[in-house]
Amino acid sequence: MKRRIITTADGSKTIQIEDWDEQYHSKHGAIQEAYHVFIKHGLRLFQNEKIDLLEIGFGTGLNALITFLEGQKLGLQIDYVGVEAYPVSMDEVMQLDYCKQLEVENQYQTFLEMHKSPWEQKVEIGADFILEKQQKDFKEITDENLFNLVYFDAFGARVQPELWTEDVFSIMYRAMKSSGVLVTYAAKGSVRRAMQAVGFMVERLPGPPGKREMLRAVKS
Ligand SMILES: C[S@@+](CC[C@H](N)C(=O)[O-])C[C@H]1O[C@@H](n2cnc3c(N)ncnc32)[C@H](O)[C@@H]1O
C-alpha cells in the first residue's frame, strides 16, 4: 500500500497510508500522542526496575526511541520487543527525522541502530535497553506471562477491525504478567468490551490532543 510522509499539528512527522486515510500516529501531533499514551500513562508506572515491554506495531520506531530516552530517566532496564509485519524503509526513517524533532540529535546513531538491528535477535542498544524486533503477524505471538507493559499501537479499528478483537486481546493477556499493563490510544466501547471479555480490568483516561479518551487495561 502506498505510504507518504506528512507533518502533524505539533510539527512532527508521521507516515500516512493514503488509500486508508490512516496515519501511524495522530494528525493532531505524532510526538505529543506517543508521549501521552505510551510514556505518561504506560512507562511512567514503572521505576528503578527491569521490565519486559511488547510493542504492537514497531513501525517508525518513535515509541522505541522515546522509551529509550525516558527509561534512562526512570532508572529502568528495558527488554523491548517490537513486533512488526511490514517494516518501514530506511529512506522513510531518514525523512521522519525524529531525533531533530525531539531535540536529541546526539541520539541519532542510537535511532539508526534500532532500525538497522537484525530481526529476531536481541541487540543491546545502550547499557539498559535491549531491543528485539520480530517480523511477524501479531496473531503469531505465543509468549506467556512475560510482559510487564504492552504498547498496543495497531492501526485503528476502522481500517483493521480484526486486530481489536477478543482473539487478539486474549493473545495479549496470555503474553502479559499478572498485573501487567496495556495502553492504547483507542477508546471505542467495542474495544473496551473486548478487553473486558478476556479478563482485563479497563480504565478510561484523558486522551492525547484531539481525542477525548484512551484506554488502559490491567491483567487481573
Ligand atoms: C499505527 S502503526 C504503528 C506505529 C508505531 N508504533 C510507531 O511508533 O511508528 C501500526 C503498525 O502495525 C503494523 N501492522 C499492521 N498490521 C499488522 C499485523 N497484522 N501484524 C503485524 N504488524 C502489523 C503496521 O505495519 C504498522 O507499522
Side-chain angles (χ1 to χ4, degrees):
M1 251 178 306
K2 195 152 172 270
R3 304 191 291 227
R4 68 180 187 125
I5 310 284
I6 61 162
T7 302
T8 68
D10 66 359
S12 60
K13 294 178 185 154
T14 191
I15 300 176
Q16 180 179 60
I17 302 204
E18 284 183 87
D19 289 347
W20 281 356
D21 187 24
E22 180 78 2
Q23 288 68 235
Y24 278 51
H25 308 95
S26 164
K27 278 187 184 171
H28 298 279
I31 288 179
Q32 271 180 18
E33 178 197 44
Y35 261 96
H36 180 93
V37 176
F38 302 109
I39 304 298
K40 181 174 176 193
H41 290 303
L43 193 73
R44 288 198 185 137
L45 296 172
F46 302 88
Q47 257 188 359
N48 302 320
E49 57 191 299
K50 180 193 171 295
I51 62 165
D52 287 278
L53 196 161
L54 170 66
E55 179 173 23
I56 292 302
F58 181 78
T60 65
L62 173 60
N63 288 340
L65 176 61
I66 61 176
T67 300
F68 171 85
L69 298 170
E70 292 300 309
Q72 291 177 338
K73 296 180 195 162
L74 294 164
L76 295 173
Q77 274 179 280
I78 302 175
D79 229 311
Y80 196 105
V81 174
V83 176
E84 174 60 59
Y86 317 102
V88 300
S89 68
M90 269 325 258
D91 181 49
E92 287 169 310
V93 172
M94 303 304 236
Q95 287 185 57
L96 290 164
D97 213 4
Y98 283 134
C99 289
K100 186 161 177 219
Q101 291 290 327
L102 289 160
E103 297 178 7
V104 290
E105 271 118 325
N106 58 335
Q107 299 293 353
Y108 185 69
Q109 285 309 324
T110 307
F111 193 45
L112 281 189
E113 248 181 86
M114 289 180 174
H115 280 285
K116 286 186 175 159
S117 72
W119 294 85
E120 329 307 336
Q121 275 182 41
K122 286 191 181 294
V123 178
E124 222 175 274
I125 312 273
D128 293 322
F129 195 96
I130 293 171
L131 174 66
E132 181 178 354
K133 296 184 298 183
Q134 300 179 352
Q135 187 169 5
K136 64 184 179 192
D137 195 283
F138 304 138
K139 293 186 178 157
E140 291 166 346
I141 295 169
T142 55
D143 302 293
E144 289 180 28
N145 296 314
L146 177 59
F147 298 103
N148 305 86
L149 179 60
V150 175
Y151 293 166
F152 198 87
D153 198 16
F155 288 129
R158 178 181 63 87
V159 293
Q160 287 196 300
E162 71 281 7
L163 296 180
W164 301 87
T165 54
E166 287 180 33
D167 278 357
V168 172
F169 288 125
S170 65
I171 292 171
M172 299 299 123
Y173 192 89
R174 186 184 58 209
M176 290 162 66
K177 286 188 174 130
S178 169
S179 302
V181 176
L182 178 151
V183 269
T184 183
Y185 65 88
K188 271 182 103 165
S190 56
V191 170
R192 183 165 43 86
R193 286 188 291 276
M195 290 172 167
Q196 285 166 333
V198 303
F200 282 113
M201 307 230 304
V202 187
E203 58 183 323
R204 284 184 280 201
L205 298 169
K211 272 205 110 220
R212 207 159 54 87
E213 292 182 328
M214 57 167 276
L215 298 176
R216 181 162 67 193
V218 178
K219 179 170 177 173
S220 45

